[in-house]
Amino acid sequence: MAPFVASRVNESRKGIDKGTNAMKKMSITLLAMTSALLIAQPAFARSEAAMIDAAAAELAPNDYVWTDTAPPAAPGQPSPVAMAQAVTLVVSLPLQRAYLYRGDVLVAASTVSTGRDGNDTPTGIYPILQKNKDHRSNIYDGAPMPYMQRLTWDGIALHAGNNPGFPDSHGCVRLPAGFAKKLFGVTTLGTTVVVTDEAVVGDRLDRSLLQTDSARANAAQIAALDR
């Protein structure tokens, strides 16, 4: 009987080995599929960003395009994705456009209306200082400023408002209502907003826009010392 028992044990081991090999093959297949997805995602994001960049140039007043799929931030807290890849908003004065980047990738774009002559929107790099969904102006007779995000303490902010297709505000950056609401949901206090007098092009964030004039001057001096 002993040989029979041994034979049964060996067959059982073969079955285990076959099952183990099958699991290994499945694991390798899943790993390959996951790797392929990880490789494909940046390319897909880049393609999507390029489409946003192209669409941004054709937007009519009060229009915007939005593809960001990160979960919105809870009140006062960034979402897990936002913590990993912060958003940056760049407002181009000559183009009257706002561009939203998650990390370095363009995920949304919108028309804007910035300050008219004599009430120019100042260029600079700003952190969002305050957020108020139902804000009213402290300066202009309590005028509604929905989804207000303050950039300066002397009256410059992002908010929903009329977009006639040209600079027409008292200095604030007016956004289409839908875009203002979505933007409010993905930013936190401290989110970087750049207002530039440059024409912004391309589907990737130009990180030189995040450097102040002083930082650029310092970098130039350091580069000169290295020569």
Side-chain angles (χ1 to χ4, degrees), residues 73-74 76-79 82 87 127-129 131 149 183-192:
Q77 296 293 326
S79 69
V87 295
I128 291 176
L129 302 172
K131 298 177 62 171
Q149 303 192 67
L183 181 66
F184 195 91
V186 299
T187 61
T188 59
L189 297 183
T191 292
T192 299

Side-chain angles (χ1 to χ4, degrees), residues 42-99:
F44 177 77
R46 187 64 184 268
S47 173
E48 198 170 57
M51 289 190 291
I52 297 170
D53 183 49
E58 305 299 326
L59 293 174
N62 287 301
D63 281 353
Y64 66 93
V65 58
W66 186 285
T67 63
D68 188 43
T69 56
Q77 296 293 326
S79 69
V81 174
M83 290 176 67
Q85 289 188 305
V87 295
T88 302
L89 186 73
V90 177
V91 177
S92 172
L93 297 179
L95 297 182
Q96 291 292 282
R97 294 288 188 274
Y99 301 89

Side-chain angles (χ1 to χ4, degrees), residues 3 7 39 143 152 214:
S7 177
I39 292 169
T152 73
S214 296

Side-chain angles (χ1 to χ4, degrees), residues 100-122:
L100 182 70
Y101 304 85
R102 185 168 290 282
D104 287 339
V105 179
L106 183 65
V107 294
S110 175
T111 55
V112 301
S113 181
T114 57
R116 64 171 76 102
D117 288 345
N119 291 286
D120 303 281
T121 303

Side-chain angles (χ1 to χ4, degrees), residues 87-218:
V87 295
T88 302
L89 186 73
V90 177
V91 177
S92 172
L93 297 179
L95 297 182
Q96 291 292 282
R97 294 288 188 274
Y99 301 89
L100 182 70
Y101 304 85
R102 185 168 290 282
D104 287 339
V105 179
L106 183 65
V107 294
S110 175
T111 55
V112 301
S113 181
T114 57
R116 64 171 76 102
D117 288 345
N119 291 286
D120 303 281
T121 303
T123 60
I125 304 168
Y126 305 97
I128 291 176
L129 302 172
Q130 183 185 49
K131 298 177 62 171
N132 186 347
K133 182 171 70 71
D134 302 308
H135 184 73
R136 288 184 173 273
S137 175
N138 303 319
I139 302 172
Y140 299 106
D141 301 320
M145 299 170 64
Y147 300 102
M148 185 278 297
Q149 303 192 67
R150 186 181 297 280
L151 304 183
T152 73
W153 292 114
D154 58 357
I156 304 301
L158 310 167
H159 65 84
N162 182 45
N163 270 250
F166 51 85
D168 192 47
S169 79
H170 290 99
C172 286
V173 179
R174 294 182 191 162
L175 307 168
F179 185 86
K181 181 178 181 179
K182 287 177 176 290
L183 181 66
F184 195 91
V186 299
T187 61
T188 59
L189 297 183
T191 292
T192 299
V193 177
V194 178
V195 179
T196 179
D197 55 9
E198 298 180 20
V200 176
V201 294
D203 57 15
R204 308 290 287 186
L205 175 62
D206 178 0
R207 292 212 160 257
S208 69
L209 293 171
L210 304 180
Q211 291 185 311
T212 63
D213 290 340
S214 296
R216 291 192 186 98
N218 290 339

